[in-house]
Amino acid sequence: MKTWFCFGKIREDENITPEMIVKVIEDGRKIASEFKNVPLIKILRILEKTSDILNDPNHPIRIETLERMPEIIGFTRPMVETGLNTLCATMRVPALLARLDTDLEDSNFLDEFTYHKVFDGYIKAEPRGLIAHVSAGNVFIGAVDTLLQGIMTKNVNILKMSSIDTVFPILFAKALKEADPEGIVSNTFCLVPFKSGDEGIEKIIKAECNVIIVYGGKEAIEAYRKGLGVHTKVVEYGPKYSCAVIDGGIMKQKGINTVAASMAHDFTMWEQSACSSPHTVFVKGEKEANEFAKALACELENYSKIYPHGKIPVNEKVEITKSRELARVHQALGEAELIVPADGSQEWTVIYEKNSEFRVSCHHRTAYVKPIADFDSAIKTLTPYGEYIQSIAVLASPADTFYISEKLCAIGADRITEPGNMSRRKNGTPHDGTRGTAEFVRWVSIGQKKPLEDQFDYMDTAERDKLTLERLNYLLAYCREKSEFYRGRLPVEPLKSIKELSKIPILTQKDFRDHLPPSGTGILTDKLGKSYSFGSGGTVGKPKFVFRTIDETRRNARALAKGLVNSGLCEGDIVGNLFFAGNMWASFVSVNMALEETGCHILPIAGNACDMEAIISYLKAFSANVIISIPSVIISLAQYVEKNKITGIKIEKVFYGGEHLFPDAQKYVANVLGAKIIASAGYTTNDTGMAGYQCQCCRGGIHHITENIHIVEIVDPETNMPVPDGREGKIILTNIDRYLMPIIRYEIGDLGRIITEKCACGRTLKLMELLGRADEVLIIGGANISQDSIAKAISKVDGLSFHFKMTAKLSEMHDLLVVEVEALEKISEEKGRELEGKLYASLLSEKPEFESFLKTQSIAKPIVKVLNPGELPRNPRTGKVKHMSDERKN
């Protein structure tokens, strides 16, 4: 009976017939049409769960693997265990993504049409459909590795198991099925043990499968070249040999024993049976080569204690004996030196030969060491082997490494590595001249130039939520594993819906300060590196710090760029970036990154780097038509232009962020600067990143939620329970794109509501209306006093700026409102009293309830102060005016 695996089921059949394969292919085509729509992250998480099972020392499948495989493949248990651990490491989500991002440039190509900068259009990687794999048995994890490539590119796979090993693939399938009870991945592949040369089965596979991946010798490759279907592609991984080239001088600098130990590892792994296993080591310098041979022998002896040699077949023992006897003959002639274990065993063999010929060894840790006068000698020796050369370990100076690599890759080698890494393939390493998983997909495109559009934004809501849920669940699993702070806060089981996110505790600003540097590191998932530290402005408290990887920062900036473009920024605009730079601020860096994405011309001025006169001179000199900054700077710029009657400056577009630019302030800026577009740069915070952007159909505080980065919840301010869409509440943000410093259910301090209507722009992203900060309203005697209402009162009085502060105090147990506002220019005391009177009257007109409160003496009489320009305190870090303060809390 033959044991095989067929789309999620273990089967036992006496023979595998052509009729069975026809049925497999028919079923496979039906499965392929569904599997291609599964989110990539869901597939990768299932593979990672499978690695957890195989990596668990107490799991029956791992135990069975370690018990059975040594006898089947001739590797000892330590070698099998190392192979299994290697496989498990490659199945972690970051490793799988690294492999795809290297091979495909961007793993997002597998889920949706994604903009490609060079192509200037959209590209997608479609699965080929049905992939047949003809596996080899020289390294037992190899069959599973090729299967993994087919799975993570969303293909349906039929793997012909090697006659040497029909056990481990089945054990792997059992582990995957356990990790995947729904059958999302485990129901998409077959493991079939048919005999090589079965023409009936091979004919069907060659005619019906979209791609055939063939590992093996010359005969196997040639067999699958014949009789192919019209649209069948064959990817060949035929016989290959590897070697090393070492500069004796560099070797001595690094330590001969260190280098020898690295090479001993390469000779030991997989008993030298892998294509990447070395056969010959060329050492520049005769003396150095001889010394290396002796050191290599010592290190092979050391490795034989770590990885004892497995059982050697009789015919291969004969080949080892022949190699040694031939070496003894050459040794007698003074042309070679044979070094073997003291007990004469066949654990390892080192043969030092004075000629520079490339030798293919008989495996089983048989190493040839050859002296060369120069690197060209090795290159000349290897040239006849051409495309049979695969991996070359090179130890040389940087200049010589490039020289050797250039020459050897030109003749056929495809992988240059360091000694010790020949058996450790980096994720994304080209495989025999191919980009691995790129062979499993076909490329499609949309040649439309819209660089800041995403297919995700137009997906059906259910489809988009499915993708978001998978990304969220992976983030939660990642944080449980990597973050000390989150480990006990997050559920063990995956969430079944996004709504279940509300069960996780809310993250507070105090949590930030207590568990992030400099106070702690509990929230972080890794050491800091390839990352930024940014400080918050501290407008509403002590500054705190956030941490983002450079990639996370760039993705966030792209979302910011999308908002700018959709609000009216165009390619070719000349933009003055007037956000503040330095002092650990994120805004200037992030905005510059965003502007890079838009195709505009950037003036990196910085609103804090020079005085207003210099800013104006830069804007005029380069005919800037756009500025972007915080409202305080924008208002001050407009005031400077108006006061000094500056001409020749016309700012058509103004983008603001960091604080609210009140409607009346917007009218003022538009009137002075001639702006036709004044728009939010986006709903973005230093703590969480870009949470929303506006399109030209959005008005006021309405934003599209950046659902590919954030999940937005609206909760009741008192109970923290979710409220229905349309109802006002506190905004809770979860960033599903941040892994270094995860942000899960963060109370940002803003109020908002979800809008149920769809936007006229056609995007299906949820809409959110910002309703101000939770602390932007003061309650005075029962009346809500918002910053907008104060700004509106100010707008009715000529001579006042929009730099103001509102403060709540207590006066003889009564609420007291103090409003301080700066004049547009320096004023006398008399003029100040006049303006204060007008503002007081405007305030009562805007908030008529104050009249009744005053009559009943339920509040103290509001105090209005008009100050000279610049007298209101600014945050020294950001230049922002703190618009509101409640001193009754102190």
Side-chain angles (χ1 to χ4, degrees), residues 639 668 793-794 797-802 821-824 835 839 866:
Q639 290 174 348
Y668 171 74
I794 290 170
V797 180
D798 292 337
L800 297 181
S801 79
F802 287 97
V821 59
E822 291 180 355
L824 288 172
L835 291 173
L839 180 57
V866 175

Side-chain angles (χ1 to χ4, degrees), residues 23 51 121 289 366 379 454 460 597 662:
K23 182 67 164 63
S51 81
T366 301
I379 294 166
D454 292 307
D460 175 82
E597 298 281 340
F662 305 107

Side-chain angles (χ1 to χ4, degrees), residues 697-756:
C697 299
C698 293
R699 295 290 181 267
I702 296 176
H703 290 71
H704 288 284
I705 298 172
T706 55
E707 292 183 56
N708 59 335
I709 295 179
H710 281 92
I711 296 173
V712 174
E713 300 172 81
I714 307 296
V715 302
D716 184 278
E718 300 297 326
T719 66
N720 286 333
M721 295 300 292
V723 301
D725 289 351
R727 185 180 298 177
E728 177 181 334
K730 290 193 301 186
I731 296 174
I732 305 296
L733 296 177
T734 296
N735 188 310
I736 57 175
D737 190 56
R738 295 266 289 276
Y739 288 86
L740 175 62
M741 189 194 88
I743 309 293
I744 300 173
R745 301 206 75 222
Y746 183 59
E747 184 175 340
I748 196 66
D750 293 335
L751 299 173
R753 67 186 183 101
I754 299 296
I755 295 175
T756 55

